[in-house]
Amino acid sequence: MTQRITNAGYVKWPTFEEIKEMFKEHFIMDRREDGVVTVRMHCQGGPLIWSMELHDAIGKMWRLLGTDRDTEMIIFTGTGNIWVSDFEAASWAPEGDNAGETRYTHMFVDGRRMIITMIQDTEVPTLGVLSGSGGHIELACMCDFCIAADDITVLDPHMLPGINNVPGDGIQSCFMELMPTRQAVWYLMTGDKLTAEQLVQFGLVSEIVPREKLMDRAYEIADLLMAQNRIARRLATQVVRRPWKKRIIDDLDCAFGTEMFGMFCADELHSNLLSMIDYLGMTDKIDPPFVGKIR
């Protein structure tokens, strides 16, 4: 082989261990020998509490892991039977002191990047494992594949009394792309609850699985995909993801901007938002119990 002498070298990308350490406060990560990475959202080892810091971390995580050449598939899931529910009031407090900067940097920019990086910057297949009840289910449902636990209840809470917020941060892209239009409009505009069975019925997930078998099924799907040719698998991922790319280009920026405008008009603060745990009647049903500080 002819030796090549070049003027510059490749920029060093963080190793998986470095990425794992970087994001450990927000995600527990494991990687199999074949490159299948499991990313589990958490708060201090327990169910997730939605924070501004997590809002910032999700997009960065997708960008680093999704472009890493040793990553071959990403399984994205949560901890316990909660997906995204309560907001951490102290984390969102800066919105009250500097609403413009917070809503631009930490909501509009970070919020869009959560979705954009998952769709545009990730080169490998993704599997959302919707393991718990709550909102922000687009984080799982906009993955290439999505399965759900059979005992969950989910919703989009934006338009619920006590929140009064435009559903424009990506959930509208998810519902309008996957669900029949009439159902998408209903659940976006009313905040009505969806059972696991309805998630399959309306096309938000491909199948529901008993909770105790959920991750076993996730790894069965991973095994199926990893048996395929590497390059074909990665290229096919970009082909099947094209509708999401078009959807994001068409409506994410405008819808997110509309949501921010609505928040200024209503003077809403995330630190005062309704607890979805209370709304879903799950105060005494959280497994394992919350370990972080909620309001």
Side-chain angles (χ1 to χ4, degrees), residues 12-237:
K12 182 181 180 297
W13 200 258
T15 66
F16 173 72
E17 292 303 323
E18 289 170 336
I19 296 171
K20 180 178 179 178
E21 175 68 20
M22 186 185 306
F23 290 100
K24 67 181 181 181
E25 286 189 295
H26 305 288
F27 310 108
I28 295 170
M29 298 185 187
D30 295 292
R31 187 174 68 183
R32 302 192 321 190
E33 290 185 2
D34 60 1
V36 174
V37 178
T38 300
V39 178
R40 177 164 60 87
M41 299 186 294
H42 76 103
C43 179
Q44 298 182 25
L48 181 70
I49 303 175
W50 194 246
S51 66
M52 208 151 64
E53 294 82 359
L54 178 75
H55 218 243
D56 167 80
I58 293 180
K60 293 176 179 176
M61 179 277 295
W62 281 115
R63 180 69 190 276
L64 285 176
L65 267 186
T67 315
D68 173 39
R69 293 182 182 176
D70 292 327
T71 299
E72 295 298 339
M73 180 177 175
I74 298 173
I75 299 172
F76 186 80
T77 190
T79 296
N81 60 348
I82 292 293
W83 186 251
V84 171
S85 192
D86 265 14
F87 285 79
E88 186 174 5
S91 172
W92 294 94
E95 185 186 10
D97 302 325
N98 190 349
E101 177 61 29
T102 302
R103 287 171 178 169
Y104 170 69
T105 301
H106 291 286
M107 296 182 197
F108 185 74
V109 174
D110 288 346
R112 287 163 49 255
R113 296 305 299 172
M114 285 195 298
I115 302 298
I116 291 170
T117 52
M118 177 171 63
I119 301 300
Q120 301 283 10
D121 296 342
T122 301
E123 297 293 333
V124 298
T126 57
L127 167 60
V129 179
L130 192 53
S131 54
S133 299
H136 268 302
I137 65 169
E138 74 278 1
L139 299 177
C141 294
M142 290 179 71
C143 289
D144 302 319
F145 300 84
C146 187
I147 61 176
D150 62 350
D151 60 352
I152 64 174
T153 303
V154 302
L155 75 168
D156 171 41
H158 283 87
M159 296 290 283
L160 290 175
I163 296 182
N164 299 318
N165 201 350
V166 175
D169 59 3
I171 190 64
Q172 86 290 346
S173 298
C174 178
F175 279 20
M176 297 300 290
E177 181 68 30
L178 295 176
M179 299 173 75
T181 301
R182 291 298 184 194
Q183 278 70 37
V185 171
W186 175 265
Y187 289 99
L188 287 171
M189 293 291 289
T190 67
D192 203 358
K193 302 171 187 176
L194 287 153
T195 64
E197 290 77 12
Q198 287 173 310
L199 292 177
V200 175
Q201 178 186 350
F202 296 140
L204 288 163
V205 305
S206 59
E207 60 185 77
I208 54 175
V209 183
R211 172 170 300 280
E212 65 274 12
K213 298 180 179 179
L214 190 60
M215 291 309 298
D216 289 341
R217 178 57 179 154
Y219 291 122
E220 287 178 1
I221 295 171
D223 290 341
L224 176 67
L225 295 176
M226 292 305 295
Q228 299 169 343
N229 175 271
R230 177 179 184 265
I231 294 176
R233 179 180 65 238
R234 285 169 163 251
L235 291 176
T237 295

Side-chain angles (χ1 to χ4, degrees), residues 224-252:
L224 176 67
L225 295 176
M226 292 305 295
Q228 299 169 343
N229 175 271
R230 177 179 184 265
I231 294 176
R233 179 180 65 238
R234 285 169 163 251
L235 291 176
T237 295
Q238 302 308 316
V239 171
V240 300
R241 207 177 283 163
R242 282 182 58 81
W244 285 122
K245 294 181 180 183
K246 293 170 64 178
R247 172 72 67 176
I248 286 172
I249 290 171
D250 287 345
D251 77 2
L252 184 60

